[in-house]
Amino acid sequence: MEFAYKITVFTPAYNRAHTLPKLYRSLQWQTFHNFEWLIVDDGSTDGTEELVKAWQIEENPFPIRYAYQENGGKCRAINHGLELAAGELFFTVDSDDFLLDNALETAARWEAELPKNGKFCAISGNLGTAPGQTPNEVLPQPYYDGTALDRYGVVKGERALLFYTQVHREYPYPVCEGERFMTEAVAWNRMAADGWKIRFYNEILTIYEYQPDGLTSAGDDLFWNNLQGTGIFFREKARFLHDPLRRKLAMWYGYATEAADRLTDAQIADYIGMPRLLVPPVRWIDGLVKTIKRKR
């Protein structure tokens, strides 16, 4: 398939008119210009559309594309962005992040150096809190060829991932009715399970600045307020990593106790992939533990 650009810088935005300008300026300062900036507005009400449309008529060495959708969460926005992307590589850059000046030039060079006979779905740089500063572990070698599942062991910490658009389109995010959050790792782990590799580099591409009202700050609440998507993530991760039974039992127990007052036994078993017969005993044990704690 022919693409119009080397890279689509994709930004899902929800009420981020106050943070987007920093990202916009960092794109203007890029040393590489064969890219587009694609913004999917996830139902903003803060003037994001007007802001972006003003930028679209400014003189820039890259096009800015804007699409609006009703508020449905980041993964729905990514699915929409993948449908619209005109870049060979799909680089999700959150609305509260910005890029180092040479980020896209570096990424394009890395991609050109990938072995053509390898089964690679992405290249990855590091995320930093400032230029030269990252909380992530630094790899002992210049780069590491692995899969997204290595993020649970060898390659720890959040990364700046550029996926081949055509590959990522084959792994859209499941849509769970009534839910607006699913960790991006669901699609990444599915690629890994199918043998798709990622080349991980130490060099920082993206500087992140988590906002108090951002997804990362929301933490565990996002997972436990979106139980079906969370169940998909935990269930598949355990299967892909070949977790032993003891670890699965711990996962089932934690999920079932968290979901006990919101889901039926059948839903819990289905979402997390546990035997349905185990759900009532878990409920009883959890009730007993809570009773004992209250009496102390």
Side-chain angles (χ1 to χ4, degrees):
M1 178 177 179
E2 294 294 326
F3 290 95
Y5 307 99
K6 187 65 180 180
I7 300 171
T8 292
V9 176
F10 168 70
T11 301
Y14 176 65
N15 289 341
R16 280 291 184 267
H18 61 293
T19 64
L20 281 169
K22 182 175 285 189
L23 172 55
Y24 175 47
R25 300 307 172 199
S26 78
L27 295 176
Q28 290 180 311
W29 295 333
Q30 288 301 301
T31 57
F32 177 90
H33 298 141
N34 188 9
F35 73 93
E36 64 169 350
W37 188 22
L38 172 62
I39 300 164
V40 170
D41 185 344
D42 189 35
S44 296
T45 58
D46 66 344
T48 292
E49 181 176 2
E50 292 76 15
L51 180 67
V52 174
K53 288 186 174 179
W55 291 339
Q56 285 178 317
I57 61 176
E58 293 183 0
E59 291 188 11
N60 286 300
F62 58 92
I64 301 173
R65 297 169 62 205
Y66 172 88
Y68 179 89
Q69 67 174 29
E70 294 297 327
N71 182 248
K74 183 176 181 179
C75 284
R76 283 186 177 87
I78 293 174
N79 284 348
H80 193 181
L82 285 167
E83 293 173 355
L84 299 174
E88 181 184 1
L89 296 171
F90 188 82
F91 186 11
T92 299
V93 183
D94 289 339
S95 54
D96 50 2
D97 298 344
F98 64 92
L99 300 180
L100 295 182
D101 295 358
N102 66 339
L104 299 184
E105 180 181 4
T106 299
R109 172 171 51 81
W110 287 344
E111 189 278 330
E113 294 171 352
L114 285 179
K116 301 308 176 186
N117 58 349
K119 190 178 179 180
F120 285 91
C121 65
I123 50 175
S124 171
N126 218 332
L127 267 69
T129 52
Q133 298 180 20
T134 179
N136 297 335
E137 292 184 15
V138 176
L139 301 169
Q141 63 270 48
Y143 64 80
Y144 171 79
D145 288 345
T147 74
L149 294 174
D150 288 318
R151 295 171 60 255
Y152 305 113
V154 180
V155 187
K156 295 180 180 177
E158 294 194 54
R159 304 279 161 166
L161 292 157
L162 291 88
F163 287 92
Y164 282 110
T165 302
Q166 195 59 33
V167 175
H168 202 333
R169 282 174 176 164
E170 297 174 10
Y171 297 86
Y173 289 94
V175 174
C176 301
E177 186 175 353
E179 296 190 358
R180 289 185 172 86
F181 171 80
M182 177 180 294
T183 174
E184 293 170 75
V186 168
W188 306 346
N189 292 348
R190 290 179 176 185
M191 294 182 212
D194 286 343
W196 287 103
K197 296 184 292 184
I198 299 173
R199 178 164 287 185
F200 296 92
Y201 290 87
N202 284 316
E203 189 170 342
I204 294 171
L205 299 182
T206 306
I207 305 299
Y208 64 90
E209 298 181 341
Y210 293 137
Q211 302 297 312
D213 59 345
L215 293 181
T216 301
S217 299
D220 290 345
D221 287 346
L222 278 173
F223 281 88
W224 299 125
N225 289 331
N226 297 273
L227 288 166
Q228 187 173 358
T230 296
I232 291 171
F233 168 61
F234 284 144
R235 182 181 74 233
E236 293 186 348
K237 178 186 172 187
R239 183 170 80 249
F240 297 154
L241 292 176
H242 307 290
D243 280 353
L245 180 59
R246 59 178 176 77
R247 191 172 295 172
K248 286 183 180 178
L249 288 170
M251 175 192 68
W252 291 339
Y253 181 83
Y255 182 89
T257 55
E258 188 67 39
D261 61 344
R262 287 174 284 171
L263 299 179
T264 66
D265 289 4
Q267 287 174 319
I268 290 172
D270 180 47
Y271 292 173
I272 199 64
M274 69 184 292
R276 185 172 175 178
L277 291 175
L278 291 182
V279 181
V282 167
R283 288 185 185 273
W284 182 84
I285 293 170
D286 182 52
L288 179 62
V289 169
K290 289 177 179 176
T291 299
I292 293 172
K293 286 182 177 179
R294 283 196 298 267
K295 290 182 177 180
R296 286 180 178 176

PDB file of all heavy atoms in Angstrom, residues 73-96:
ATOM      1  N   GLY A  73     -13.359   7.585  24.265  1.00  0.00           N
ATOM      2  CA  GLY A  73     -12.134   7.090  24.876  1.00  0.00           C
ATOM      3  C   GLY A  73     -10.991   6.986  23.894  1.00  0.00           C
ATOM      4  O   GLY A  73     -11.166   7.025  22.664  1.00  0.00           O
ATOM      5  N   LYS A  74      -9.795   6.851  24.457  1.00  0.00           N
ATOM      6  CA  LYS A  74      -8.577   6.897  23.657  1.00  0.00           C
ATOM      7  C   LYS A  74      -8.496   5.775  22.631  1.00  0.00           C
ATOM      8  O   LYS A  74      -8.075   6.005  21.487  1.00  0.00           O
ATOM      9  CB  LYS A  74      -7.360   6.851  24.582  1.00  0.00           C
ATOM     10  CG  LYS A  74      -6.028   6.978  23.851  1.00  0.00           C
ATOM     11  CD  LYS A  74      -4.859   7.017  24.814  1.00  0.00           C
ATOM     12  CE  LYS A  74      -3.534   7.174  24.084  1.00  0.00           C
ATOM     13  NZ  LYS A  74      -2.384   7.225  25.027  1.00  0.00           N
ATOM     14  N   CYS A  75      -8.869   4.566  23.004  1.00  0.00           N
ATOM     15  CA  CYS A  75      -8.702   3.453  22.061  1.00  0.00           C
ATOM     16  C   CYS A  75      -9.654   3.556  20.881  1.00  0.00           C
ATOM     17  O   CYS A  75      -9.296   3.184  19.757  1.00  0.00           O
ATOM     18  CB  CYS A  75      -8.862   2.118  22.793  1.00  0.00           C
ATOM     19  SG  CYS A  75      -7.393   1.707  23.775  1.00  0.00           S
ATOM     20  N   ARG A  76     -10.851   4.065  21.093  1.00  0.00           N
ATOM     21  CA  ARG A  76     -11.732   4.326  19.949  1.00  0.00           C
ATOM     22  C   ARG A  76     -11.119   5.404  19.052  1.00  0.00           C
ATOM     23  O   ARG A  76     -11.232   5.345  17.830  1.00  0.00           O
ATOM     24  CB  ARG A  76     -13.117   4.750  20.424  1.00  0.00           C
ATOM     25  CG  ARG A  76     -14.000   3.599  20.920  1.00  0.00           C
ATOM     26  CD  ARG A  76     -15.405   4.109  21.216  1.00  0.00           C
ATOM     27  NE  ARG A  76     -16.312   3.048  21.615  1.00  0.00           N
ATOM     28  CZ  ARG A  76     -16.464   2.613  22.853  1.00  0.00           C
ATOM     29  NH1 ARG A  76     -15.749   3.149  23.831  1.00  0.00           N
ATOM     30  NH2 ARG A  76     -17.318   1.634  23.143  1.00  0.00           N
ATOM     31  N   ALA A  77     -10.490   6.402  19.686  1.00  0.00           N
ATOM     32  CA  ALA A  77      -9.836   7.457  18.898  1.00  0.00           C
ATOM     33  C   ALA A  77      -8.676   6.875  18.093  1.00  0.00           C
ATOM     34  O   ALA A  77      -8.458   7.273  16.941  1.00  0.00           O
ATOM     35  CB  ALA A  77      -9.345   8.566  19.826  1.00  0.00           C
ATOM     36  N   ILE A  78      -7.932   5.949  18.677  1.00  0.00           N
ATOM     37  CA  ILE A  78      -6.836   5.313  17.941  1.00  0.00           C
ATOM     38  C   ILE A  78      -7.388   4.525  16.759  1.00  0.00           C
ATOM     39  O   ILE A  78      -6.841   4.594  15.642  1.00  0.00           O
ATOM     40  CB  ILE A  78      -6.007   4.410  18.865  1.00  0.00           C
ATOM     41  CG1 ILE A  78      -5.257   5.258  19.905  1.00  0.00           C
ATOM     42  CG2 ILE A  78      -5.013   3.573  18.052  1.00  0.00           C
ATOM     43  CD1 ILE A  78      -4.524   4.444  20.953  1.00  0.00           C
ATOM     44  N   ASN A  79      -8.449   3.762  16.977  1.00  0.00           N
ATOM     45  CA  ASN A  79      -9.065   3.024  15.870  1.00  0.00           C
ATOM     46  C   ASN A  79      -9.448   3.973  14.732  1.00  0.00           C
ATOM     47  O   ASN A  79      -9.221   3.683  13.552  1.00  0.00           O
ATOM     48  CB  ASN A  79     -10.311   2.279  16.350  1.00  0.00           C
ATOM     49  CG  ASN A  79      -9.988   1.030  17.157  1.00  0.00           C
ATOM     50  OD1 ASN A  79      -8.842   0.575  17.192  1.00  0.00           O
ATOM     51  ND2 ASN A  79     -10.990   0.483  17.810  1.00  0.00           N
ATOM     52  N   HIS A  80     -10.024   5.113  15.090  1.00  0.00           N
ATOM     53  CA  HIS A  80     -10.423   6.110  14.091  1.00  0.00           C
ATOM     54  C   HIS A  80      -9.187   6.679  13.399  1.00  0.00           C
ATOM     55  O   HIS A  80      -9.147   6.831  12.168  1.00  0.00           O
ATOM     56  CB  HIS A  80     -11.213   7.225  14.780  1.00  0.00           C
ATOM     57  CG  HIS A  80     -11.936   8.134  13.853  1.00  0.00           C
ATOM     58  ND1 HIS A  80     -12.686   9.210  14.280  1.00  0.00           N
ATOM     59  CD2 HIS A  80     -12.020   8.156  12.486  1.00  0.00           C
ATOM     60  CE1 HIS A  80     -13.200   9.834  13.237  1.00  0.00           C
ATOM     61  NE2 HIS A  80     -12.808   9.225  12.135  1.00  0.00           N
ATOM     62  N   GLY A  81      -8.157   6.965  14.185  1.00  0.00           N
ATOM     63  CA  GLY A  81      -6.929   7.505  13.616  1.00  0.00           C
ATOM     64  C   GLY A  81      -6.263   6.551  12.651  1.00  0.00           C
ATOM     65  O   GLY A  81      -5.739   6.970  11.607  1.00  0.00           O
ATOM     66  N   LEU A  82      -6.276   5.273  12.970  1.00  0.00           N
ATOM     67  CA  LEU A  82      -5.681   4.278  12.076  1.00  0.00           C
ATOM     68  C   LEU A  82      -6.412   4.223  10.743  1.00  0.00           C
ATOM     69  O   LEU A  82      -5.800   4.020   9.692  1.00  0.00           O
ATOM     70  CB  LEU A  82      -5.697   2.898  12.739  1.00  0.00           C
ATOM     71  CG  LEU A  82      -4.669   2.685  13.852  1.00  0.00           C
ATOM     72  CD1 LEU A  82      -4.991   1.417  14.643  1.00  0.00           C
ATOM     73  CD2 LEU A  82      -3.257   2.598  13.277  1.00  0.00           C
ATOM     74  N   GLU A  83      -7.721   4.409  10.783  1.00  0.00           N
ATOM     75  CA  GLU A  83      -8.494   4.422   9.538  1.00  0.00           C
ATOM     76  C   GLU A  83      -8.111   5.613   8.654  1.00  0.00           C
ATOM     77  O   GLU A  83      -8.093   5.502   7.428  1.00  0.00           O
ATOM     78  CB  GLU A  83      -9.993   4.488   9.863  1.00  0.00           C
ATOM     79  CG  GLU A  83     -10.541   3.239  10.546  1.00  0.00           C
ATOM     80  CD  GLU A  83     -11.983   3.429  10.999  1.00  0.00           C
ATOM     81  OE1 GLU A  83     -12.499   4.571  10.855  1.00  0.00           O
ATOM     82  OE2 GLU A  83     -12.584   2.472  11.503  1.00  0.00           O
ATOM     83  N   LEU A  84      -7.794   6.738   9.280  1.00  0.00           N
ATOM     84  CA  LEU A  84      -7.536   7.980   8.540  1.00  0.00           C
ATOM     85  C   LEU A  84      -6.077   8.194   8.183  1.00  0.00           C
ATOM     86  O   LEU A  84      -5.764   8.995   7.297  1.00  0.00           O
ATOM     87  CB  LEU A  84      -8.014   9.178   9.369  1.00  0.00           C
ATOM     88  CG  LEU A  84      -9.500   9.236   9.719  1.00  0.00           C
ATOM     89  CD1 LEU A  84      -9.771  10.407  10.663  1.00  0.00           C
ATOM     90  CD2 LEU A  84     -10.358   9.353   8.463  1.00  0.00           C
ATOM     91  N   ALA A  85      -5.167   7.509   8.877  1.00  0.00           N
ATOM     92  CA  ALA A  85      -3.733   7.795   8.749  1.00  0.00           C
ATOM     93  C   ALA A  85      -3.232   7.645   7.322  1.00  0.00           C
ATOM     94  O   ALA A  85      -3.564   6.683   6.625  1.00  0.00           O
ATOM     95  CB  ALA A  85      -2.941   6.880   9.673  1.00  0.00           C
ATOM     96  N   ALA A  86      -2.381   8.592   6.909  1.00  0.00           N
ATOM     97  CA  ALA A  86      -1.752   8.548   5.585  1.00  0.00           C
ATOM     98  C   ALA A  86      -0.246   8.364   5.698  1.00  0.00           C
ATOM     99  O   ALA A  86       0.470   8.538   4.714  1.00  0.00           O
ATOM    100  CB  ALA A  86      -2.066   9.833   4.819  1.00  0.00           C
ATOM    101  N   GLY A  87       0.243   8.020   6.888  1.00  0.00           N
ATOM    102  CA  GLY A  87       1.665   7.792   7.098  1.00  0.00           C
ATOM    103  C   GLY A  87       1.997   6.322   7.205  1.00  0.00           C
ATOM    104  O   GLY A  87       1.199   5.530   7.728  1.00  0.00           O
ATOM    105  N   GLU A  88       3.167   5.944   6.734  1.00  0.00           N
ATOM    106  CA  GLU A  88       3.595   4.545   6.811  1.00  0.00           C
ATOM    107  C   GLU A  88       3.767   4.095   8.264  1.00  0.00           C
ATOM    108  O   GLU A  88       3.480   2.952   8.610  1.00  0.00           O
ATOM    109  CB  GLU A  88       4.924   4.366   6.062  1.00  0.00           C
ATOM    110  CG  GLU A  88       5.438   2.938   6.056  1.00  0.00           C
ATOM    111  CD  GLU A  88       6.803   2.815   5.394  1.00  0.00           C
ATOM    112  OE1 GLU A  88       7.353   3.852   4.954  1.00  0.00           O
ATOM    113  OE2 GLU A  88       7.322   1.679   5.323  1.00  0.00           O
ATOM    114  N   LEU A  89       4.256   5.010   9.106  1.00  0.00           N
ATOM    115  CA  LEU A  89       4.411   4.749  10.533  1.00  0.00           C
ATOM    116  C   LEU A  89       3.376   5.547  11.309  1.00  0.00           C
ATOM    117  O   LEU A  89       3.083   6.701  10.976  1.00  0.00           O
ATOM    118  CB  LEU A  89       5.815   5.123  11.010  1.00  0.00           C
ATOM    119  CG  LEU A  89       6.973   4.325  10.414  1.00  0.00           C
ATOM    120  CD1 LEU A  89       8.311   4.959  10.806  1.00  0.00           C
ATOM    121  CD2 LEU A  89       6.927   2.870  10.887  1.00  0.00           C
ATOM    122  N   PHE A  90       2.843   4.945  12.358  1.00  0.00           N
ATOM    123  CA  PHE A  90       1.781   5.552  13.167  1.00  0.00           C
ATOM    124  C   PHE A  90       2.335   5.781  14.561  1.00  0.00           C
ATOM    125  O   PHE A  90       2.609   4.847  15.306  1.00  0.00           O
ATOM    126  CB  PHE A  90       0.580   4.609  13.204  1.00  0.00           C
ATOM    127  CG  PHE A  90      -0.660   5.188  13.831  1.00  0.00           C
ATOM    128  CD1 PHE A  90      -1.508   5.993  13.092  1.00  0.00           C
ATOM    129  CD2 PHE A  90      -0.989   4.887  15.149  1.00  0.00           C
ATOM    130  CE1 PHE A  90      -2.670   6.502  13.665  1.00  0.00           C
ATOM    131  CE2 PHE A  90      -2.139   5.394  15.723  1.00  0.00           C
ATOM    132  CZ  PHE A  90      -2.993   6.208  14.981  1.00  0.00           C
ATOM    133  N   PHE A  91       2.506   7.062  14.911  1.00  0.00           N
ATOM    134  CA  PHE A  91       3.176   7.452  16.145  1.00  0.00           C
ATOM    135  C   PHE A  91       2.187   8.199  17.032  1.00  0.00           C
ATOM    136  O   PHE A  91       1.856   9.354  16.774  1.00  0.00           O
ATOM    137  CB  PHE A  91       4.360   8.352  15.795  1.00  0.00           C
ATOM    138  CG  PHE A  91       5.263   8.736  16.943  1.00  0.00           C
ATOM    139  CD1 PHE A  91       5.179   8.130  18.182  1.00  0.00           C
ATOM    140  CD2 PHE A  91       6.221   9.719  16.757  1.00  0.00           C
ATOM    141  CE1 PHE A  91       6.019   8.489  19.221  1.00  0.00           C
ATOM    142  CE2 PHE A  91       7.074  10.098  17.782  1.00  0.00           C
ATOM    143  CZ  PHE A  91       6.969   9.482  19.017  1.00  0.00           C
ATOM    144  N   THR A  92       1.685   7.540  18.063  1.00  0.00           N
ATOM    145  CA  THR A  92       0.761   8.182  18.983  1.00  0.00           C
ATOM    146  C   THR A  92       1.538   9.049  19.965  1.00  0.00           C
ATOM    147  O   THR A  92       2.368   8.553  20.731  1.00  0.00           O
ATOM    148  CB  THR A  92      -0.072   7.143  19.751  1.00  0.00           C
ATOM    149  OG1 THR A  92      -0.837   6.367  18.820  1.00  0.00           O
ATOM    150  CG2 THR A  92      -1.018   7.822  20.733  1.00  0.00           C
ATOM    151  N   VAL A  93       1.279  10.338  19.931  1.00  0.00           N
ATOM    152  CA  VAL A  93       1.894  11.297  20.851  1.00  0.00           C
ATOM    153  C   VAL A  93       0.758  11.976  21.603  1.00  0.00           C
ATOM    154  O   VAL A  93      -0.048  12.693  21.000  1.00  0.00           O
ATOM    155  CB  VAL A  93       2.751  12.342  20.119  1.00  0.00           C
ATOM    156  CG1 VAL A  93       3.417  13.275  21.131  1.00  0.00           C
ATOM    157  CG2 VAL A  93       3.800  11.659  19.243  1.00  0.00           C
ATOM    158  N   ASP A  94       0.686  11.739  22.895  1.00  0.00           N
ATOM    159  CA  ASP A  94      -0.428  12.262  23.680  1.00  0.00           C
ATOM    160  C   ASP A  94      -0.414  13.782  23.727  1.00  0.00           C
ATOM    161  O   ASP A  94       0.627  14.433  23.556  1.00  0.00           O
ATOM    162  CB  ASP A  94      -0.397  11.686  25.093  1.00  0.00           C
ATOM    163  CG  ASP A  94      -0.774  10.209  25.125  1.00  0.00           C
ATOM    164  OD1 ASP A  94      -1.417   9.745  24.166  1.00  0.00           O
ATOM    165  OD2 ASP A  94      -0.413   9.518  26.102  1.00  0.00           O
ATOM    166  N   SER A  95      -1.563  14.338  24.020  1.00  0.00           N
ATOM    167  CA  SER A  95      -1.752  15.786  23.957  1.00  0.00           C
ATOM    168  C   SER A  95      -1.006  16.536  25.050  1.00  0.00           C
ATOM    169  O   SER A  95      -0.871  17.762  24.965  1.00  0.00           O
ATOM    170  CB  SER A  95      -3.243  16.113  24.045  1.00  0.00           C
ATOM    171  OG  SER A  95      -3.817  15.512  25.204  1.00  0.00           O
ATOM    172  N   ASP A  96      -0.519  15.842  26.077  1.00  0.00           N
ATOM    173  CA  ASP A  96       0.269  16.509  27.114  1.00  0.00           C
ATOM    174  C   ASP A  96       1.752  16.174  27.000  1.00  0.00           C
ATOM    175  O   ASP A  96       2.519  16.388  27.939  1.00  0.00           O
ATOM    176  CB  ASP A  96      -0.249  16.166  28.516  1.00  0.00           C
ATOM    177  CG  ASP A  96      -0.417  14.663  28.739  1.00  0.00           C
ATOM    178  OD1 ASP A  96      -0.090  13.884  27.826  1.00  0.00           O
ATOM    179  OD2 ASP A  96      -0.877  14.279  29.828  1.00  0.00           O
TER     180      ASP A  96
END
